């Protein structure tokens, strides 16, 4: 278990529920293996963010699979809040159970304490901000915006704990690292953008032929490297001497993919 996750143990002790935030486009690889062990008996909800960028049919299958395994799971757009109703229902039920358990022990009401856990830039702060109904936690489109654990206290008997994203060592496995890079969940310097762009290019050529041709006005001929060169030429991303600027082209393709401008895709099937 990564050391930063270990250091969250002290917080886990004081929360009632954990929101395990993962990316709907990569629902398996963006989740922690063995998180149950760390969470213990605490209530858990898997929140798949960026549902607006994932394939809706695949998201439905993922939710079904998770729920079939007894896991509470929701998919939402954490930026707009679309799809958050079920999350509220889950939290309400968890709060009710906590209240009843306390009443049985002769204790009064206490706020529900909820913590968000997940990899960097997956949308943890955004989810909590939806729950808080305001921009209480800092968000940003790059990893590392949330520096240390941060409590957000809101009325309605709810206390939220935001945490910095933690990556798991197994994500250094090259392919996973590239996919996490494609989603913007890995530190920029750790994954080569040209490598990410080639993986994205191959994926699109295979899964959505014609997409690149339409978007960039190119012929889909050859492999990912040829496609990248064609995009660079078509966009006029050239270095002195007329050579295609691979880095700049790769960045443009990856950004388009990340923001959903090439369509809605789920990279892992259930
Ligand atoms: N399109 C879309 N963007 C999202 C969603 N959730 C988060 N984001 C964006 O992803 C970026 C990272 O979000 P943030 O909440 O800071 O992630 P954190 O690092 O896990 O706390 C921000 O630019 C958010 O606006 C979502 O469901 N859909
Ligand atoms: Mg954050």
């Amino acid at each position: 278990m990564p050391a930063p996750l270990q250091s969250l143990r002290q917080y886990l002790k004081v929360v009632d529920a954990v929101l395990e935030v993962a990316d709907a486009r990569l629902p398996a690889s963006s989740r922690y293996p063995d998180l149950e062990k760390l969470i213990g008996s605490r209530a858990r909800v898997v929140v798949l963010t960026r549902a607006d960028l994932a394939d809706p049919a695949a998201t439905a299958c993922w939710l079904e699979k998770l729920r079939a395994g007894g896991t509470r799971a929701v998919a939402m757009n954490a930026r707009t809040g679309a799809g958050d109703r079920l999350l509220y229902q889950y939290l309400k039920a968890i709060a009710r159970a906590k209240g009843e358990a306390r009443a049985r022990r002769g204790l009064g009401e206490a706020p529900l304490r909820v913590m968000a856990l997940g990899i960097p830039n997956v949308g943890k702060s955004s989810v909590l901000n939806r729950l808080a109904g305001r921009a209480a936690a800092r968000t940003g489109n790059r990893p590392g915006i949330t520096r240390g654990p941060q409590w957000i206290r809101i009325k309605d008997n709810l206390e939220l704990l935001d945490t910095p994203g933690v990556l798991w060592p197994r994500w250094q496995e090259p392919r996973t690292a590239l996919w996490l890079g494609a989603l913007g969940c890995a530190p920029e310097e750790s994954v080569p953008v040209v490598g990410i762009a080639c993986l994205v290019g191959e994926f699109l050529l295979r899964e959505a032929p014609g997409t690149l041709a339409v978007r960039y006005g190119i012929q889909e001929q050859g492999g990912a490297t040829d496609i990248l060169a064609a995009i660079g030429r078509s966009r006029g991303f050239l270095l002195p001497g007329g050579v295609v600027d691979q880095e700049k082209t790769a960045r443009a393709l990856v950004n388009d993919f990340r923001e959903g401008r090439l369509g809605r895709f789920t990279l892992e099937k259930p």
Side-chain angles (χ1 to χ4, degrees):
M1 186 170 299
L5 204 56
Q6 286 280 12
S7 74
L8 294 174
R9 270 173 192 258
Q10 50 168 322
Y11 292 100
L12 274 163
K13 284 190 196 133
V14 299
V15 298
D16 306 297
V18 174
L19 301 184
E20 188 191 349
V21 185
D23 194 304
R25 295 166 298 178
L26 207 63
S29 298
S30 67
R31 288 180 59 202
Y32 295 109
D34 296 331
L35 191 62
E36 289 93 342
K37 280 188 203 144
L38 192 68
I39 294 181
S41 61
R42 266 154 225 93
R44 175 170 62 136
V45 182
V46 171
V47 182
L48 299 179
T49 54
R50 299 212 177 87
D52 53 310
L53 300 176
D55 170 13
T59 301
C61 290
W62 273 110
L63 290 176
E64 202 176 303
K65 185 176 176 189
L66 284 161
R67 288 172 191 155
T71 304
R72 299 178 192 86
V74 303
M76 66 186 282
N77 177 343
R79 220 180 234 174
T80 64
D84 63 2
R85 245 189 58 210
L86 187 58
L87 180 57
Y88 284 106
Q89 285 173 14
Y90 280 141
L91 289 178
K92 243 186 204 159
I94 294 167
R96 204 177 313 120
K98 174 180 176 167
E100 285 164 8
R102 286 180 64 87
R104 277 196 297 276
R105 287 158 56 206
L107 299 169
E109 282 183 15
L112 186 74
R113 295 183 133 190
V114 179
M115 161 183 205
L117 265 185
I119 64 173
N121 209 34
V122 74
K124 298 175 297 300
S125 298
S126 301
V127 169
L128 294 183
N129 282 338
R130 299 310 313 174
L131 292 175
R134 62 189 156 94
R138 283 187 66 202
T139 65
N141 202 2
R142 65 198 152 82
I145 295 285
T146 309
R147 301 239 166 247
Q150 183 193 355
W151 278 106
I152 310 165
R153 288 167 212 282
I154 51 178
K155 54 181 197 303
D156 249 349
N157 278 342
L158 190 58
E159 292 184 2
L160 306 171
L161 179 64
D162 197 12
T163 65
V166 179
L167 280 171
W168 197 268
R170 77 160 192 187
W171 288 321
Q172 280 158 15
E173 193 266 308
R175 214 181 155 76
T176 312
L178 285 174
W179 274 134
L180 290 170
L183 305 186
C185 294
E188 289 272 315
E189 62 286 357
S190 70
V191 243
V193 70
V194 174
I196 299 174
C198 286
L199 189 67
V200 166
E202 278 163 22
F203 175 84
L204 291 171
L205 289 175
R206 192 178 63 240
E207 302 287 329
T211 305
L212 294 167
V214 171
R215 170 88 190 165
Y216 301 109
I218 58 161
Q219 301 279 327
E220 290 189 356
Q221 274 163 2
T225 335
D226 307 304
I227 295 288
L228 209 55
I231 295 173
R233 278 195 298 275
S234 151
R235 285 282 146 115
F237 293 158
L238 302 176
L239 294 167
V243 189
V244 168
D245 186 338
Q246 255 207 335
E247 288 265 329
K248 189 172 176 183
T249 310
R251 196 149 285 126
L253 173 61
V254 170
N255 278 337
D256 282 348
F257 180 74
R258 249 181 222 172
E259 294 298 323
R261 288 189 285 265
L262 296 165
R264 297 172 66 168
F265 298 103
T266 301
L267 307 167
E268 285 173 329
K269 303 290 178 224

